[in-house]
Amino acid sequence: MAEEVVLLDIWASPFGIRVRIALAEKGIKYERMEEDLRNKSGLLLQMNPVHKKIPVLIHNGKPICESLIQVQYIDEVWHDKAPLLPADPYKRATARFWADFVDKKIYEAGAKIWKTKGEEQARAKKEFMESLKLLEGELGEKTYFGGKNLGYWILPWFHFIAGFMCTRSLGSSVLKQSAPS
């Protein structure tokens, strides 16, 4: 039986990017279906009736929701190709912890920076920078938590990297005063 893999997504979704990178790292062929979030498809509503959000990974007709869960699923199903999570249970748990940290602390603080002004924005900048410093201290001299290869925990970072590169090329940033050159 041929594997059927479909990804319901939008091109700019940072969460969809995680899943697309995981599929690419594993060399998995899939069909990508662009969603219109103002007019959600029946397939999206059927496959993710709880949150009604993208991305949704559909493997042989079965939906998997939430991007980090999708990445773990991809790693488990296609375990023989380019592992994203370490084999060691402790290292695997550590990778999951830091990916969750990025989603809960860094992503949320970053969103507050862009959505707020004044003192609330200043608090968000401080929280964001403290979280980055904590992560940098934990990472130390290692290229990745998982060693020398791209892995699970780095996938949540891709949208930040793109954002930082855009900000740098545009020459302005709400973080400029907080971040060293």
Side-chain angles (χ1 to χ4, degrees):
M1 176 175 96
E3 300 258 7
E4 180 186 74
V5 181
V6 176
L7 180 62
L8 306 180
D9 192 13
I10 63 170
W11 71 271
S13 168
F15 306 103
I17 290 169
R18 297 171 180 182
V19 180
R20 284 181 264 154
I21 291 170
L23 290 165
E25 280 293 303
K26 296 284 192 172
I28 306 305
K29 292 183 188 323
Y30 65 99
E31 177 185 356
R32 189 172 159 279
M33 296 177 72
E34 186 80 11
E35 282 290 326
D36 176 354
L37 297 183
R38 286 183 223 120
N39 185 25
K40 296 177 181 178
S41 72
L43 183 60
L44 173 61
L45 298 175
Q46 176 190 355
M47 293 292 143
N48 191 353
V50 175
H51 296 295
K52 301 173 178 65
K53 298 188 306 188
I54 52 101
V56 177
L57 180 69
I58 305 168
H59 182 217
N60 293 329
K62 297 176 184 169
I64 300 93
C65 302
E66 299 297 319
S67 63
L68 288 178
I69 294 168
Q70 293 164 358
V71 171
Q72 289 177 46
Y73 178 85
I74 290 165
D75 200 46
E76 290 172 10
V77 171
W78 293 281
H79 57 87
D80 58 330
K81 302 175 183 178
L84 299 170
L85 282 158
D88 177 75
Y90 177 77
K91 289 179 181 177
R92 197 167 47 246
T94 300
R96 287 180 174 136
F97 172 84
W98 287 110
D100 187 64
F101 177 83
V102 169
D103 263 7
K104 288 188 176 145
K105 294 292 281 182
I106 294 177
Y107 182 79
E108 289 176 12
K112 284 182 196 172
I113 290 169
W114 302 112
K115 294 177 182 177
T116 60
K117 301 280 185 212
E119 288 183 28
E120 192 175 353
Q121 187 182 61
R123 283 190 301 275
K125 285 182 198 178
K126 185 175 188 234
E127 180 184 342
F128 186 81
M129 294 309 296
E130 287 171 358
S131 296
L132 287 178
K133 288 175 186 175
L134 178 65
L135 187 61
E136 183 179 42
E138 183 65 30
L139 184 59
E141 298 297 317
K142 297 176 275 195
T143 305
Y144 301 112
F145 278 112
K148 295 181 180 181
N149 300 322
L150 176 101
Y152 173 80
W153 92 272
I154 196 74
L155 294 175
W157 277 100
F158 279 100
H159 64 285
F160 283 112
I161 294 166
F164 291 147
M165 291 172 72
C166 289
T167 300
R168 185 172 51 188
S169 70
L170 295 173
S172 66
S173 171
V174 295
L175 292 174
K176 203 171 207 170
Q177 300 85 10
S178 304
S181 304

